[in-house]
Amino acid sequence: MSVNRCLRLFSRLQPHINPRAACIAACSHPVSPGSVLSHEQHPTGSVGLCRHASSSSSSRKPPDTSLFVPVSLKTDSALDGSVGAELTQPLDKDELLKVLNRFYKKKEMQKLAADHGLDARLFHQAFISFRKYVLEMKSLAADLHIILSDICCGAGHIDDIYPYFMRHAKQIFPMLDCMDDLRKISDLRVPANWYPEARAIERKVIFHAGPTNSGKTYHAIQRYLAAKSGVYCGPLKLLAHEIFEKSNEAGVPCDLVTGEERTFVELEGRASDHVACTIEMCSVTTPYEVAVIDEIQMIRDPSRGWAWTRALLGLCAEEIHVCGESAAIDFVRELMYTTGEEVEVRTYQRLTPFSIMDQAVESLDNLRPGDCIVCFSKNDIYSLSRQIEARGLECAVIYGSLPPGTKLSQAKKFNDPDDPCKILVATDAIGMGLNLSIKRIIFNSLVKPNVNEKGEKQMETISTSQALQIAGRAGRFSSKFKEGEVTTMHRDDLPVLKEILSHCVDPIETAGLHPTAEQIEMFAYHLPDATLSNLVDIFVSLSQVDGMYFVCNIDDFKFLADMIQHIPLNLRSRYVFCTAPINKKQPFVCTSFLKFARQFSRDEPLTFDWVCRHVSWPLAAPKNIKDLMHLEAVHDVLDLYLWLSYRFMDMFPDTGLVREIQRELDDIIQQGVRNITRLIRASDATITDTTQAQNNRRGLAASGGSSGSSNLTGGRGQRGSGQMMNSSLASRLVKEGLLTPDLLQQLQKEWSKDHKQEFTNPSAFDTEHHNNNNKGKRKKKKK
């Protein structure tokens, strides 16, 4: 063990040295098989290494009983028939109600029930159910009937009800009887032990640390290509595709494995020794010489962090090459302490510099070739791209929901020195996976929607890590721009950006975990009547993690689970369906997901013809933005089909045909994105036509349907109301990002110029005022 590691461990143990007796006692006894080595987070921020028995009640958090859903019991008949009534006498319901209510109010009974897992909430629910059961049951079990009869007659004690009450409570809350088993299943404190194959070998971990464009991934990939076998694990399909292509171009046969695609380069379909995959798809049982884990800082991602944790702890490779931000170095070291593996760190500096400008762009008239405007809203992209092309400039657009082929096509268009397109408008989707020749990054905004640890969506200022990831795309080593620049569109945002970039990246402190299908199946064995969503909720509620881990957000999983709960599926199939990566914001995708699950449950294969009927294939080129968004949703539906086809091959048999029409659809979407400005104009024209139609209807209503001079007067009045409506519509368009404040001001100037005489004409105002008064009088008469 190195001196530095000894010093580090000593400093972490220091807060625990004071209670000497406890420490000596812990060191003088061997560790029992039921104990685990865990890390605890302390108020000082240090993490102490100490031993805890896994059965220790002190480390257990109380379960969230709001998740316990009572099971319905049949109340029609009892096995004993009316034996109880024959042995004693029929029960008086009124007297019985008084006895039960006295039992409920006894503090001793409530305390005794609490000791057996029934808190106040569960005790109340259980009592309501028990009372209903006793009063509504035609014939009770003989033993319960006799006890209740004795109590009503004064021959028994009210406390004698308790055993029967608890028996009923455990029937409607079955988790009370198996809480210890459920806690053991959901114990997530030692995830390193989940991967025995990885623990059986001595792995060498090498951390390639540095900012974007520092060559850290390049050096890791060089070792990957030189190895006899290897696996590359990336966060995006585009990155996996890039390594797949580079490897095969270098003469190293490499397969591609993503959620929706399997490409084997060997003619016989045999797996190659090298594979490039998205990180969720990596195998933790296949042995490799070298494994590369890219963007390790995503181990703290609230939704996907579990995939990096699984790869880091579970890959069976002699060398694990980890690439990412320096902020993750200490944390990766800590994780590797739990596996007994040391970490070698190799640091890299950025190959080309980038600087923060002293001035904001402020106007689109100040754009230059090589500029990339970064937005965090698709509506902002539509608005800006139209304004840019209105100035006679061509621009490319890239955002997250575009198909990979369209993203690459737009990137190629922007990078091509012979193409007139010199401006890029993009979301933070450019932060990873695309090689772009960007001279200047321009932040249109510094606020983006985020999902917090509770799964709640909120608008937040981008973090230092996010800002550096995006800003680092300027002046890439492989591009024609050897130096990059970063600034903002608005003057007020520039000092905020400088402040953000002046901070160090927050160190990573926790890694994500996620319940496996096997764990949920074991839960379901104990709780057969619970829904999948409820099973996952109870699992997370009971789960125990040490200070180094957190349970990833499962809201999307639960959303899908609730959507298909009414469809009859076995638990494993239901679990697989609910892990499908779909965008729940798109109604068409959600509807398709539901139809897929329903067809699957009928044991009817989802054929190519069935899919074509569902998506109305063939599809025409988009005529407006709404059409384009629908095509993107259809592309996601085809992705969903392909994703499911690799998990249920017999039920999704036409993978090849679906992939062909998906390629055609990608081409149609590319054509639409190339003409995105025309689509935006068409969308605006639709809005304008709708507005004019509404205004015309208002004008007719104002004129009362009459002709002649009164109609002309009504028309003037209608124009006034139309102006008000336009103002309302304009504010809504600005809010949605379809109209910018600058463009709105320009339109307002044109409106005021065109209608200046009308608005300054007092007779027009008087006429409209008179009409409004008449309307009011007519309404009063109706009353």
Side-chain angles (χ1 to χ4, degrees), residues 83 116 160 171 252 291 434 587 730:
V83 174
H116 288 83
D160 294 339
Q171 286 178 320
V252 179
L434 289 169

Side-chain angles (χ1 to χ4, degrees), residues 2-53:
S2 66
V3 174
N4 288 337
R5 183 176 174 186
C6 288
L7 290 173
R8 183 175 180 80
L9 285 176
F10 180 77
S11 66
R12 297 168 71 81
L13 283 168
Q14 212 165 6
H16 302 280
I17 294 177
N18 291 336
R20 276 188 75 190
C23 188
I24 293 171
C27 296
S28 61
H29 295 285
V31 182
S32 64
S35 67
V36 295
L37 194 63
S38 64
H39 291 71
E40 285 189 339
Q41 192 72 33
H42 293 279
T44 57
S46 64
V47 179
L49 202 63
C50 46
R51 296 182 186 273
H52 289 289

Side-chain angles (χ1 to χ4, degrees), residues 203-343:
R203 306 187 309 171
K204 181 180 180 181
V205 182
I206 301 166
F207 195 121
H208 300 265
T212 57
N213 196 26
S214 60
K216 56 184 184 297
T217 306
Y218 169 81
H219 287 88
I221 294 300
Q222 292 305 111
R223 179 67 188 96
Y224 162 84
L225 295 174
K228 294 178 182 177
S229 62
V231 58
Y232 168 83
C233 308
L236 301 172
K237 286 184 283 188
L238 283 174
L239 283 171
H241 269 279
E242 182 182 348
I243 301 304
F244 165 73
E245 292 173 354
K246 282 185 177 180
S247 184
N248 287 296
E249 288 172 2
V252 179
C254 176
D255 296 335
L256 176 68
V257 177
T258 69
E260 301 81 14
E261 187 174 358
R262 309 283 189 279
T263 302
F264 299 100
V265 295
E266 298 289 346
L267 296 178
E268 303 84 7
R270 180 174 54 85
S272 301
D273 293 328
H274 288 69
V275 60
C277 64
T278 46
I279 195 159
E280 287 88 351
M281 300 305 299
C282 70
S283 169
V284 292
T285 55
T286 306
Y288 299 101
E289 181 183 348
V290 169
V292 177
I293 304 174
D294 208 355
E295 306 293 351
I296 189 62
Q297 67 274 5
M298 289 190 71
I299 199 169
R300 66 177 167 191
D301 185 87
S303 300
R304 297 179 65 201
W306 63 269
W308 276 262
T309 305
R310 173 177 171 269
L312 184 58
L313 296 177
L315 282 171
C316 298
E318 298 170 25
E319 293 182 22
I320 306 289
H321 290 258
V322 178
C323 308
E325 296 174 356
S326 300
I329 294 175
D330 289 343
F331 182 72
V332 170
R333 277 200 176 112
E334 292 302 325
L335 279 186
M336 294 302 97
Y337 288 161
T338 66
T339 65
E341 297 160 343
E342 294 195 12
V343 180

